[in-house]
Amino acid sequence: MAQATASSKRSLPRRLHPLPLRIMHWINAVAIFIMIGSGWKIYNDDVLFSFLRFPDSIVIGKWAQYGLQWHFFGMWIFVLNGIAYLTYGIVTGRFWQKLFPISVREVLVTVGEALRFRLRHDDLTHYNAVQKVLYLGVMLVGILIVISGLALWKPVQFSELASLFGSFQSIRLVHFFCMAAIVGFIVVHVSLAVLVPQSLVAMVTGGPALKDEAASNGSIVPEMKTPR
Ligand code: HEM
């Protein structure tokens, strides 16, 4: 009986995007939406650049104070979910397997292909070099935006952290440019997801089942192929 359960468990196909990853990805998308919309409201209250104000129709929060409350609400979701996602990626070996190695040559070739609209999307199980750079980049920016946010929120309690950035105004600038980088990432990321709808479907359904050649230690398989 126990054997039967074990073997039936083993025969369950593993998906390209496991359920926990999908849940965390979509929670992150909602949290980022809240953080950016409310961040724009807070920004409008004391702008960094006189030429830039965000229209009321695209900000979250009627008053700056409500914007702040939304920002903290989104922050807890973003941070807790982000910690869970990073831990999951490291512990399961997913990051290592999906995002490395990256070679400069591969990045240049992929950028060249993208510029000539010749990027191939036939293998969803393999991230191209540009995707790898973008995903790793957005994770690093995500960490920096949280650190700079902490320094803005509690400049006295985190005074040593705050002093790493120089002045309070430079923390604001770092925080702002991290937001701009994330917005840039989202524009490219969502456009690609729409252009390759099967990747979007896979992020909802889990995508193709993977051939599991890994030993029973639960690590990610070294080579994955889309079933024919
Ligand atoms: C509505 C917004 C979003 C959509 C439609 C979307 C869609 C997708 C899709 C389709 C994939 C799979 C890519 C592939 O298989 O080639 C993916 C992966 C990913 N997305 Fe998004 N995404 C959104 C928002 C975000 C945001 C806001 C972030 C972070 C700031 C993000 C970060 C990532 C990362 C890091 C991965 C790789 C996950 C992994 O394999 O570990 N996404 N997304």
Side-chain angles (χ1 to χ4, degrees), residues 192-203:
L192 286 176
V194 172
L195 283 173
V196 189
Q198 63 271 32
S199 73
L200 190 52
V201 173
M203 210 14 128

Side-chain angles (χ1 to χ4, degrees), residues 17-110:
H17 300 306
L19 184 63
L21 179 107
R22 279 176 275 150
I23 294 174
M24 290 184 282
H25 176 268
W26 292 119
I27 290 179
N28 178 61
V30 174
I32 282 279
F33 173 79
I34 296 173
M35 301 277 332
I36 292 175
S38 55
W40 287 350
K41 179 71 198 175
I42 302 164
Y43 168 93
N44 277 351
D45 206 40
D46 179 13
V47 299
L48 277 168
F49 309 104
S50 53
F51 59 87
L52 179 65
R53 284 189 149 271
F54 296 98
D56 279 350
S57 52
I58 58 166
V59 301
I60 297 179
K62 198 160 187 249
W63 314 106
Q65 181 59 28
Y66 292 165
L68 259 181
Q69 284 171 358
W70 274 108
H71 210 59
F72 288 126
F73 170 67
M75 180 270 283
W76 283 112
I77 304 176
F78 180 70
V79 168
L80 295 176
N81 186 65
I83 291 172
Y85 172 70
L86 292 177
T87 309
Y88 178 88
I90 293 166
V91 169
T92 62
R94 182 181 175 89
F95 288 161
W96 190 244
Q97 196 267 327
K98 301 273 290 172
L99 302 178
F100 293 98
I102 306 178
S103 78
V104 177
R105 199 184 144 273
E106 206 192 333
V107 174
L108 294 177
V109 170
T110 316

Side-chain angles (χ1 to χ4, degrees), residues 142-218:
I143 292 170
L144 185 56
I145 205 167
V146 170
I147 293 175
S148 53
L150 274 179
L152 282 176
W153 180 30
K154 301 272 180 201
V156 177
Q157 288 87 336
F158 296 111
S159 55
E160 283 175 15
L161 184 68
S163 65
L164 291 179
F165 292 91
S167 67
F168 191 76
Q169 201 64 356
S170 41
I171 313 177
R172 285 191 71 196
L173 281 171
V174 170
H175 202 64
F176 180 91
F177 285 119
C178 286
M179 175 282 292
I182 292 177
V183 171
F185 166 85
I186 293 173
V187 170
V188 175
H189 186 60
V190 175
S191 308
L192 286 176
V194 172
L195 283 173
V196 189
Q198 63 271 32
S199 73
L200 190 52
V201 173
M203 210 14 128
V204 176
T205 62
L210 304 174
K211 274 189 185 171
D212 201 334
E213 294 148 18
S216 53
N217 63 3

Side-chain angles (χ1 to χ4, degrees), residues 16-18 21 93-102 123-128 131-132 135-136 210 220-221 224:
L16 168 63
H17 300 306
L21 179 107
R94 182 181 175 89
F95 288 161
W96 190 244
Q97 196 267 327
K98 301 273 290 172
L99 302 178
F100 293 98
I102 306 178
D123 184 5
L124 285 183
T125 64
H126 177 253
Y127 288 150
N128 65 45
Q131 279 174 302
K132 290 179 186 178
Y135 291 156
L136 281 171
L210 304 174
I220 297 284
V221 281
M224 301 189 296

